[in-house]
Amino acid sequence: MDKLWSYFKNLFQQAEESSPSQPLIHEMIERSAEEREDYQFWKETLVLRRLLNWLNEQYAIYRIRPDDIDEALDFLNTPSSKGFVVHFSQTGYSQRDVQHFFDYLKEQVLALKYRTQISDRRSYQRANWVETIERHYLKPGLSIRSNQEEDGRFVQHFGNIMIELEHRNDRVHNLRFRATTYNDSLFKAPAEFGELMQGVLS
């Protein structure tokens, strides 16, 4: 009993001390056989097709009339980072749907000759909730990165890609997809973000 109490006491102490550099929990993401099987089944459902169609439509609207996009979605567009945020807390999608969509985006990026740098899960104690962030961080594959132009610059493809799924108290809050590029003389200009969206949402 004393050992159990010590365990919980230590856990709560860690929660109070958790910070971006020192999360309460940090673990690698590993899907079970049941989760992988369910994911394969989910990819054949209409839910995925609806999500893809919606994102494609919203991105097309954003490029012409950025103020007219759905309130559940935002796009990021800076010189070094481009991406989108889906505020799933404002939609009717289930946690299962969002979890599988998070992994689907990773699978699509991998198909673009990327490799997984890390897939992990971190939990933090915030003022009013426990925040859990799952992330897939992907980089261009070795065959892309080793490809130099005649002038010596490296090809960076779409840049490094981060996919993050945020939960608050075990409820889905939002999903963030971001491509970050290098803007210096060592690298060739990145491929257009629109091409990445087409490849990921096809």
Side-chain angles (χ1 to χ4, degrees), residues 5-17:
W5 171 247
S6 295
Y7 169 77
F8 282 110
K9 184 179 178 182
N10 185 49
L11 187 64
F12 283 111
Q13 184 177 355
Q14 288 176 348
E16 292 174 1
E17 297 171 353

Side-chain angles (χ1 to χ4, degrees), residues 3-75:
K3 288 183 179 179
L4 184 61
W5 171 247
S6 295
Y7 169 77
F8 282 110
K9 184 179 178 182
N10 185 49
L11 187 64
F12 283 111
Q13 184 177 355
Q14 288 176 348
E16 292 174 1
E17 297 171 353
S18 67
S19 67
S21 61
Q22 189 177 24
L24 169 64
I25 297 172
H26 182 206
E27 58 191 4
M28 297 301 107
I29 295 175
E30 293 183 14
R31 304 298 185 212
S32 67
E34 291 80 7
E35 287 173 323
R36 293 194 300 271
E37 183 178 349
D38 188 54
Y39 170 69
Q40 294 301 325
F41 173 80
W42 177 86
K43 286 197 299 181
E44 303 301 321
T45 67
L46 289 177
V47 175
L48 174 58
R49 181 46 50 196
R50 281 199 299 268
L51 268 169
L52 295 176
N53 288 344
W54 175 68
L55 276 169
N56 273 309
E57 290 168 3
Q58 292 302 310
Y59 184 60
I61 293 170
Y62 168 77
R63 298 180 74 174
I64 301 169
R65 301 187 307 275
D67 293 335
D68 292 344
I69 61 172
D70 195 304
E71 291 182 355
L73 185 65
D74 284 306
F75 286 95

Side-chain angles (χ1 to χ4, degrees), residues 20 23 25-27 120-124 131-135:
I25 297 172
H26 182 206
E27 58 191 4
D120 65 356
R121 181 184 297 108
R122 295 170 186 251
S123 294
Y124 307 92
E131 177 185 86
T132 300
I133 297 178
E134 291 188 321
R135 65 173 181 164

Side-chain angles (χ1 to χ4, degrees), residues 71-95:
E71 291 182 355
L73 185 65
D74 284 306
F75 286 95
L76 171 69
N77 186 8
T78 71
S80 61
S81 292
K82 292 177 173 46
F84 60 84
V85 180
V86 181
H87 304 284
F88 276 109
S89 58
Q90 300 178 25
T91 71
Y93 287 100
S94 70
Q95 179 150 327

Side-chain angles (χ1 to χ4, degrees), residues 127-162:
N128 299 309
W129 62 79
V130 174
E131 177 185 86
T132 300
I133 297 178
E134 291 188 321
R135 65 173 181 164
H136 296 312
Y137 183 47
L138 304 106
K139 289 188 172 185
L142 295 176
S143 61
I144 294 175
R145 292 192 303 137
S146 61
N147 187 8
Q148 281 183 284
E149 296 293 287
E150 292 181 2
D151 60 7
R153 292 183 299 167
F154 291 95
V155 175
Q156 59 178 313
H157 206 30
F158 301 109
N160 298 334
I161 297 175
M162 179 77 80

